[in-house]
Amino acid sequence: RTHPLYKATVASGQLYKCPFESEDCGHKPTKLKCNYDKYVDSHLKPFRCKNTACIELQFSSTACLLRHEREAHGMHGHGSRPHLCTYADCERSIPGHGFPRRYNLYDHMKRVHDY
């Protein structure tokens, strides 16, 4: 967070306003600097994946970055894809080719197998 927008200050009693409000971003003025910083984060996306295959990916929060690392790279103790399809002839029924989240498996079962 080295961008100059993070150094914004306001006079006492004033509100922090999103610097991108002219682009109709929908952020409302706030009294809290931490909320203002989140507004700026959502536009600048300062968090980046360190994996060389994802060098272009940018995220607006550490939570989004951690989810990406967990699901795309199997980091943070979530390397396996434990939720397997119950249809034996489906490629998603093979260990390692399942889904990282149960919801994704349920969605797959509805869309692909009409189950």
Side-chain angles (χ1 to χ4, degrees):
R1 290 182 166 176
T2 58
H3 196 278
L5 288 176
Y6 291 108
K7 295 182 173 105
T9 58
V10 294
S12 179
Q14 297 288 327
L15 299 174
Y16 288 96
K17 294 182 181 177
C18 180
F20 298 92
E21 71 180 338
S22 63
E23 298 173 14
D24 261 350
C25 68
H27 294 132
K28 295 181 177 159
T30 180
K31 293 179 182 180
L32 302 174
K33 174 81 163 70
C34 60
N35 287 344
Y36 167 81
D37 288 344
K38 288 179 191 176
Y39 295 167
V40 174
D41 285 347
S42 72
H43 294 287
L44 298 182
K45 299 186 187 293
F47 304 97
R48 290 174 173 71
C49 181
K50 293 177 179 76
N51 189 302
T52 54
C54 301
I55 202 73
E56 303 271 326
L57 289 180
Q58 300 175 331
F59 302 93
S60 61
S61 69
T62 55
C64 293
L65 174 59
L66 288 172
R67 179 178 182 186
H68 164 78
E69 290 174 342
R70 184 176 64 245
E71 294 184 3
H73 305 299
M75 297 169 70
H76 314 295
H78 292 85
S80 66
R81 295 177 176 215
H83 303 285
L84 300 176
C85 182
T86 57
Y87 286 83
D89 58 337
C90 181
E91 68 179 32
R92 294 295 202 147
S93 66
I94 302 167
H97 294 275
F99 297 92
R101 290 183 284 152
R102 192 178 330 170
Y103 172 80
N104 293 10
L105 171 62
Y106 293 156
D107 186 52
H108 163 81
M109 297 291 281
K110 286 179 189 173
R111 285 184 300 102
V112 177
H113 303 296
D114 198 30
Y115 178 77

